Amino acid sequence: MHCLLWLAGPLAEPASSRDLAELQGISPSFLAKIFPKLEKAGIVEASEGIRGGYRLARPADNITVLDVVDAVEGHKPLFDCQEIRGRCALYGDNPPLRATTGICGIHAVMLRAEQSMRQELARTTLGDLDRSTGKKMSPGFPDQVQEWLSNRVTARTEARLSPTKDPSAERRRRKP
């Protein structure tokens, strides 16, 4: 979510998953596994080239937190009921019908909690988060981040454009 917020700003430039991971202090390999899922879900899109990277595929106000959670985690339920009500040792192989009829009370409360959580995540967009977290940043911090990301791109560009240092090539050039 934090990495997506750096792509949500109005002046955001495409950024590589490696740069976003290093900016946030998280594992680049971890983030490299997540961004393809986000791309498949239509949350981010990748651009190629030296100045390429990921950018949001649609406006931040059109991407909910639930979209991101479902893209990364899938649509699996929060609680996986194991229906253990009928396996009580006191029942043996013949649990009474009253013990197994209807939905389990624990499962019911977990379903309600999951429904509430999903509703809240669906109500909140990346744009909402961008506006609320932006208020907590010191003035100029977003500009510093953009400069840091730009410097990383510039360094990669210069490294690709500079000739490699091949000692044997240097010796051949010096021979009369």
Side-chain angles (χ1 to χ4, degrees):
M1 294 298 299
H2 287 276
C3 293
L4 290 175
L5 289 178
W6 289 118
L7 302 177
L11 303 175
E13 298 282 331
S16 73
S17 62
R18 175 172 290 287
D19 288 347
L20 289 168
E22 289 179 14
L23 174 66
Q24 297 295 322
I26 59 177
S27 163
S29 61
F30 170 74
L31 205 56
K33 293 175 187 172
I34 290 178
F35 266 82
K37 293 178 181 183
L38 296 171
E39 186 174 16
K40 184 177 179 183
I43 293 169
V44 298
E45 57 189 13
S47 57
E48 302 210 5
I50 293 174
R51 294 222 170 258
Y54 287 101
R55 64 176 171 260
L56 294 184
R58 55 187 194 262
D61 284 324
N62 295 343
I63 301 170
T64 68
V65 175
L66 183 59
D67 293 335
V68 176
V69 169
D70 283 345
V72 174
E73 298 294 332
H75 296 278
K76 58 187 174 193
L78 180 67
F79 179 73
D80 184 21
C81 183
Q82 300 296 309
E83 286 296 334
I84 65 169
R85 299 177 294 168
R87 290 186 286 205
C88 177
L90 299 178
Y91 298 152
D93 289 336
N94 193 19
L97 192 57
R98 65 177 160 64
T100 58
T101 302
I103 191 167
C104 167
I106 295 168
H107 191 182
V109 74
M110 295 304 277
L111 288 173
R112 288 193 308 271
E114 180 174 359
Q115 183 179 20
S116 294
M117 179 189 76
R118 291 182 69 80
Q119 287 172 349
E120 184 59 32
L121 295 177
R123 259 194 301 268
T124 306
T125 67
L126 286 181
D128 297 331
L129 289 175
D130 185 43
R131 286 183 289 278
S132 68
T133 57
K135 293 175 187 173
K136 295 182 177 190
M137 290 183 202
S138 61
F141 186 70
D143 295 331
Q144 290 174 323
V145 169
Q146 289 304 325
E147 183 179 347
W148 185 86
L149 289 169
S150 289
N151 288 341
R152 305 266 302 180
V153 170
T154 301
R156 274 196 307 278
T157 303
E158 290 172 357
R160 286 182 185 164
L161 296 177
S162 68
T164 57
K165 305 248 180 192
D166 179 2
S168 61
E170 183 64 31
R171 281 191 300 273
R172 285 190 301 270
R173 276 194 295 265
R174 282 192 248 152
K175 282 188 178 179

